[in-house]
Amino acid sequence: MPIRQLSETMINQIAAGEVIERPASVVKELVENALDAGASRVEIVTSGGGLNLIRVTDDGSGIPERELALAIARHCTSKLTEDINDIRSLGFRGEALPSIGSVSRLSIRSRTAASDSAAEIGIEGGRVLPVRPAAANRGTTVEVRDLFFATPARLKFMKGERAESSATSDVVKRIAIAFPAVRFTLAGSDRSTLELPAADDSAEGSLRRVAQVMGTDFPDNSIALDAMRDGVHLTGHASIPSFTRANALQQYAYVNGRPVRDKLIAGAIRGAYADVLPRDRHAVTVLFLTLDPAIVDVNVHPAKADVRFRDPGLVRGLIVGAIRQALADAGVRAATTGAAGMMAAFRPGAASYGHGGPANGHRSYDAAYRASGPSGFDPARSPQRPLDMGFDGAGFEQRGLRESEQAAFDAGPLASADARAGQDEAAETLLGAVLGAARAQVHENYIVAQTRDSLIIVDQHAAHERLVYEALKNALHSRPVPSQMLLLPEIIDLPEEDAERLALHSETLARFGLGIERFGPGAVAVRETPSMLGEANVQQLVRDLADEIADNDTVDTLKERLDKIAATMACHGSVRSGRLLKAEEMNALLRQMEATPGSGTCNHGRPTYIELKLADIERLFGRR
């Protein structure tokens, strides 16, 4: 078959297959055009999930009549200079409008501030209609009807009207978060109206927009982020560990104001929460990365949802470090949704209480909890206590505990269940602490504490499990991990590039007890392995490490395995359900929780305590 030049219509339809995946893709492109035009108000109307009608109206600068024909021509744009590395607008390729027009019936009506009237141009399945006069206010209205009528095969891949409408709503919300000063309205016969009033570009205005999109619970259960490293600035908010979702749909990321779905950013978020969330729960985040456009490539995918960073390790490290530091600085916090669930359970006719937290009903925690057993704490059966892991009393004093409190906490169980004994005037001073003063122990597992304005219920086993785990981790990572020498070195054949990557990280791996050295051009020799791993599958471990270094330039796989062993030891070395505690022991536990980052959840992601405000209690009794 001879080589021939494709027609302009065929070229546009091929481009549309990449740029226009579904109605939500059309809305994304048109809304981005409106924002690039400086709009302060964007109105979107859809019908039939966007397949029948999409109309986007803005009050931006508009398109001059003489440029309307260029606006629908491929690779014509006003947003890109001669420098492809300096992209500061959302759109830049000049492909969206001609691609949309090749598979639908498209009309563009626009008027500039300097013009006395508007003009309109249309395209039907790639056939351009002549420019004609029209009536319109300043700005642009783009109307798309019968999407994919020119490519019927694409219609077979569309989902139902509700699913397409939901995807459009998600696109609008993602864009709206990055532009709080713009008013967005999404309406139509196929949906309920979504209206996002304009705020301002300040931090308060941005947080109000986030609350409009993600719900009012998120600001109350999140921590502000503000960090910079080597010219990359990270701002935004990240949820506390006890406030999670079942999927990652509420993880929003922006690079220079552009909404992105980048696997590096998603992996960094998972890494930052690795120790505090269960596997099937996800943090809620809004992250804004600001950096020089020259060190990030947004021109790697037609939909512009993926980006490539010149230094991905820098970006990942910044995100992980900033979130972990923010969580540590925030101290111990409980999700407000826990109190709401408790309030609902106390109301007449309410179902049995099940906390909406991350591990409600998860077998992983239940199994670990049953493994702990109802019996009292027996050092002979559970030797892995903090003091036995090289974590002496001085370590606890650094966490703000007095020697007397630590001694009380390490004392044996009581013969009496009267946990209120010993409450004296000194305990009253604890009411101002974050977790207050211990007042009672209920069912030999739950500590009831009082602050000046709230009631706190602590799961003693879950709380102490987190404390022991953090102590073990600190001891583990504050010095080189003990290793065991292999009688015969394990020789592992690898691709040459994987062997080179492992060799570059050999010093870091040695700190974690894994001794690796090059063994020819395409192999490595493993001479030592971490003692904690026992009989490990060295071949699989090294190959997993090579894959992770290739993807993320980190060696977190080995660290995660060691941390998992520490978590198992902590579960068996913590205070058991059924152990009676004195008031001094309970208060010592509360003070340790206040001084330990991440103590709001246990190792399995289950909340360690719930706080009920005094105002909520009074509301239950009809006093408010």
Side-chain angles (χ1 to χ4, degrees):
M1 182 178 292
I3 299 174
R4 61 189 179 88
Q5 177 72 46
L6 295 177
S7 66
E8 189 69 19
T9 298
M10 181 67 71
I11 293 172
N12 287 335
Q13 288 179 346
I14 292 173
E18 298 178 328
V19 178
I20 309 304
E21 179 184 358
R22 60 195 305 186
S25 305
V26 176
V27 172
K28 172 183 178 293
E29 298 291 342
L30 298 182
V31 171
E32 287 181 350
N33 282 345
L35 295 170
D36 285 338
S40 62
R41 175 179 53 83
V42 179
E43 297 177 359
I44 306 105
V45 177
T46 64
S47 177
L51 293 172
N52 298 339
L53 169 69
I54 297 173
R55 183 189 302 122
V56 177
T57 304
D58 68 70
D59 60 350
S61 58
I63 305 172
E65 180 178 351
R66 65 182 182 277
E67 296 182 2
L68 280 175
L70 282 175
I72 59 173
R74 292 191 75 219
H75 306 309
C76 293
T77 180
S78 61
K79 306 170 186 178
L80 191 62
T81 64
E82 293 299 322
D83 187 2
I84 189 64
N85 296 316
D86 189 25
I87 298 175
R88 300 181 182 272
S89 57
L90 296 175
F92 56 89
R93 288 199 186 96
E95 285 187 323
L97 291 177
S99 297
I100 296 169
S102 69
V103 295
S104 68
R105 295 182 173 89
L106 171 71
S107 68
I108 304 174
R109 186 168 60 253
S110 188
R111 176 184 172 185
T112 63
S115 177
D116 295 332
S117 62
E120 182 176 0
I121 193 171
I123 317 177
E124 290 192 0
R127 183 172 62 88
V128 179
L129 303 178
V131 178
R132 60 181 182 272
N137 295 325
R138 185 177 76 91
T140 303
T141 298
V142 182
E143 191 171 282
V144 180
R145 292 186 178 274
D146 302 328
L147 184 62
F148 300 127
F149 89 95
T151 53
R154 178 58 67 92
L155 285 173
K156 298 177 182 179
F157 296 93
M158 294 299 103
K159 298 182 179 179
E161 181 178 304
R162 179 173 298 180
E164 297 299 339
S165 297
S166 177
T168 299
S169 299
D170 182 64
V171 163
V172 173
K173 290 176 181 178
R174 283 186 179 274
I175 297 175
I177 287 178
F179 296 88
V182 179
R183 178 178 180 269
F184 290 87
T185 304
L186 176 60
S189 59
D190 56 350
R191 67 177 66 252
S192 57
T193 300
L194 170 68
E195 188 165 349
L196 302 174
D200 52 65
D201 286 327
S202 65
E204 293 77 11
S206 178
L207 190 57
R208 284 199 298 273
R209 172 56 58 84
V210 168
Q212 291 171 2
V213 172
M214 305 178 67
T216 55
D217 283 340
F218 178 67
D220 295 334
N221 293 281
S222 65
I223 305 166
L225 304 174
D226 192 348
M228 178 174 283
R229 185 183 299 176
D230 294 342
V232 182
H233 190 199
L234 172 67
T235 58
H237 287 78
S239 64
I240 60 177
S242 52
F243 185 82
T244 61
R245 291 289 183 268
N247 54 49
L249 292 179
Q250 286 205 319
Q251 290 181 357
Y252 297 89
Y254 302 85
V255 176
N256 291 339
R258 181 189 305 280
V260 298
R261 294 180 181 270
D262 186 73
K263 68 174 185 177
L264 182 141
I265 296 176
I269 294 172
R270 286 195 303 272
Y273 286 90
D275 286 343
V276 293
L277 295 186
R279 283 183 173 272
D280 52 353
R281 302 297 296 185
H282 300 267
V284 183
T285 58
V286 179
L287 306 181
F288 298 94
L289 284 167
T290 306
L291 64 164
D292 186 346
I295 62 176
V296 59
D297 186 1
V298 300
N299 189 30
V300 295
H301 190 274
K304 304 187 290 290
D306 296 332
V307 295
R308 295 292 182 272
F309 298 100
R310 181 179 296 176
D311 189 349
L314 167 65
V315 175
R316 176 183 169 84
L318 174 62
I319 294 173
V320 173
I323 292 178
R324 287 183 174 175
Q325 185 61 47
L327 293 176
D329 293 343
V332 58
R333 283 178 58 181
T336 59
T337 51
M342 182 183 289
M343 290 280 291
F346 280 139
R347 293 190 179 97
S352 60
Y353 175 65
H355 192 277
N360 182 34
H362 290 304
R363 295 181 180 179
S364 60
Y365 179 80
D366 293 342
Y369 189 82
R370 286 195 298 271
S372 302
S375 60
F377 182 75
D378 184 355
R381 287 190 298 110
S382 300
Q384 297 90 1
R385 300 178 66 195
L387 294 179
D388 299 328
M389 294 297 295
F391 210 83
D392 54 16
F396 284 100
E397 289 175 7
Q398 293 175 359
R399 282 173 165 69
L401 293 178
R402 295 188 298 272
E403 186 175 354
S404 59
E405 291 176 324
Q406 182 57 43
F409 188 72
D410 287 332
L414 291 174
S416 170
D418 186 8
R420 292 185 63 90
Q423 288 184 1
D424 52 15
E425 294 182 1
E428 295 299 319
T429 62
L430 298 177
L431 294 178
V434 175
L435 297 181
R439 294 304 192 195
Q441 184 185 24
V442 181
H443 294 297
E444 293 80 40
N445 188 53
Y446 300 101
I447 298 171
V448 180
Q450 174 189 348
T451 69
R452 299 195 190 281
D453 63 350
S454 64
L455 176 73
I456 292 176
I457 303 176
V458 178
D459 183 333
Q460 69 186 37
H461 171 78
H464 194 237
E465 184 179 359
R466 165 60 69 176
L467 300 180
V468 176
Y469 176 49
E470 292 298 328
L472 286 169
K473 276 202 312 178
N474 289 335
L476 189 65
H477 301 307
S478 62
R479 58 178 180 266
V481 175
S483 61
Q484 59 183 5
M485 182 77 72
L486 297 181
L487 186 62
L488 295 175
E490 186 95 23
I491 309 301
I492 303 172
D493 293 321
L494 294 167
E496 188 170 349
E497 57 272 19
D498 284 346
E500 180 65 27
R501 294 188 190 104
L502 287 168
L504 291 175
H505 287 77
S506 60
E507 291 186 10
T508 303
L509 293 171
R511 276 201 313 111
F512 290 111
L514 187 66
I516 285 182
E517 61 184 41
R518 290 296 295 269
F519 193 81
V524 296
V526 179
R527 301 188 180 279
E528 296 177 330
T529 60
S531 301
M532 292 177 66
L533 292 183
E535 295 293 331
N537 185 339
V538 179
Q539 292 259 357
Q540 189 61 47
L541 173 61
V542 171
R543 295 184 191 280
D544 289 348
L545 286 169
D547 291 340
E548 182 177 12
I549 294 171
D551 282 343
N552 302 315
D553 197 32
T554 66
V555 292
D556 286 345
T557 296
L558 182 56
K559 178 178 179 294
E560 289 172 1
R561 293 195 183 190
L562 297 177
D563 287 346
K564 186 175 181 180
I565 294 173
T568 302
M569 295 167 66
C571 185
H572 291 281
S574 56
V575 171
R576 296 295 194 265
S577 173
R579 173 177 170 177
L580 301 178
L581 301 177
K582 306 179 200 177
E584 293 86 351
E585 293 177 301
M586 292 187 287
N587 279 315
L589 178 63
L590 298 179
R591 302 293 79 77
Q592 288 188 40
M593 290 177 64
E594 292 169 352
T596 303
S599 60
T601 58
C602 74
N603 308 345
H604 312 284
R606 179 179 178 271
T608 57
Y609 76 98
I610 295 173
E611 182 176 13
L612 191 61
K613 293 295 184 182
L614 180 60
D616 294 331
I617 299 174
E618 291 177 341
R619 198 174 296 117
L620 285 172
F621 287 96
R623 301 182 67 175
R624 283 193 171 222

